[in-house]
Amino acid sequence: MKKSELKPIEYKEFYATYLNAIGDVNLFTELVDGKNWMIQFINSLDESKLGYSYGEGKWTIAEVIMHIIDTERVFQYRAFSFSKNDQSALPGFDQDEYMANTDVSNRTKESILEEYLSVREASISLYKNLQNKQLNYIGTASGIRWSVAGIGFVISGHQKHHCTILQERYS
């Protein structure tokens, strides 16, 4: 499925920033390509700068990457639930509260990359095994209705969005 095939009811306008970050890509291909790009990106980081932040109150490089991982985990669960046509409304999550409870002080590039890969591989496996009709299933999370496909594109765009910020503001 290509991003251009998404219907407006499959995502909320708030997420357009993330969708615009990836262009008109194939969902599954983008999940795999995004993984390969992220491996190179994390490997290119100077480990001594993982604790760097460009401003007071801004997350460090390691925290931004952990935020990407945390968000993918949450969105992955949403996609999984919706793909089973589960109509239970799922809760939101507070990204700042999650980060306040994430200790990156002893994290290495290798440990961050290992965690990233396990989460992304799970997303790839999930989407690889979905039937086309399941991509169109819609559920509710954070009071927002969106499709399984819409969530997959947001996962990819969210990663790209935050990595672009890292490249622009943390270099």
Side-chain angles (χ1 to χ4, degrees):
M1 170 179 222
K2 291 191 70 124
K3 190 184 81 174
S4 59
E5 297 174 58
L6 283 178
K7 298 170 194 78
I9 63 166
E10 295 185 72
Y11 65 94
K12 187 166 175 103
E13 187 61 29
F14 172 83
Y15 291 98
T17 299
Y18 303 139
L19 295 174
N20 292 337
I22 55 173
D24 190 24
V25 295
N26 173 280
L27 175 57
F28 185 74
T29 302
E30 183 61 22
L31 288 168
V32 173
D33 290 349
K35 176 192 82 169
N36 295 331
W37 184 89
M38 190 69 161
I39 291 168
Q40 292 178 359
F41 180 76
I42 292 173
N43 283 328
S44 74
L45 295 172
D46 180 342
E47 186 140 14
S48 68
K49 294 186 179 180
L50 289 177
Y52 171 75
S53 171
Y54 73 89
E56 183 70 30
K58 298 296 181 184
W59 291 340
T60 66
I61 292 171
E63 288 171 331
V64 171
I65 296 171
M66 291 308 302
H67 166 69
I68 292 167
I69 294 168
D70 288 349
T71 301
E72 183 159 342
R73 261 194 184 107
V74 171
F75 285 18
Q76 181 188 103
Y77 176 72
R78 292 172 178 179
F80 169 75
S81 294
F82 299 168
S83 76
K84 304 301 182 189
N85 210 18
D86 184 345
Q87 294 301 302
S88 303
L90 300 177
F93 76 105
D94 182 335
Q95 66 183 15
D96 294 316
E97 189 64 28
Y98 274 44
M99 195 51 56
N101 289 286
T102 301
D103 182 6
V104 296
S105 62
N106 293 316
R107 297 299 298 262
T108 63
K109 277 191 334 183
E110 290 75 24
S111 74
I112 292 170
L113 180 57
E114 178 183 357
E115 187 168 351
Y116 169 78
L117 286 172
S118 66
V119 172
R120 179 50 64 100
E121 287 295 339
S123 292
I124 290 169
S125 180
L126 172 66
Y127 278 92
K128 177 180 176 181
N129 293 296
L130 292 176
Q131 297 176 7
N132 284 336
K133 70 177 183 174
Q134 290 174 293
L135 292 173
N136 296 314
Y137 286 171
I138 293 178
T140 303
S142 298
I144 298 168
R145 299 201 31 89
W146 44 2
S147 70
V148 173
I151 292 171
F153 285 115
V154 169
I155 286 171
S156 293
H158 180 260
Q159 174 181 292
K160 178 96 173 190
H161 168 79
H162 282 291
C163 286
T164 298
I165 291 171
L166 286 174
Q167 290 173 316
E168 291 173 353
R169 299 183 188 169
Y170 288 77
S171 310

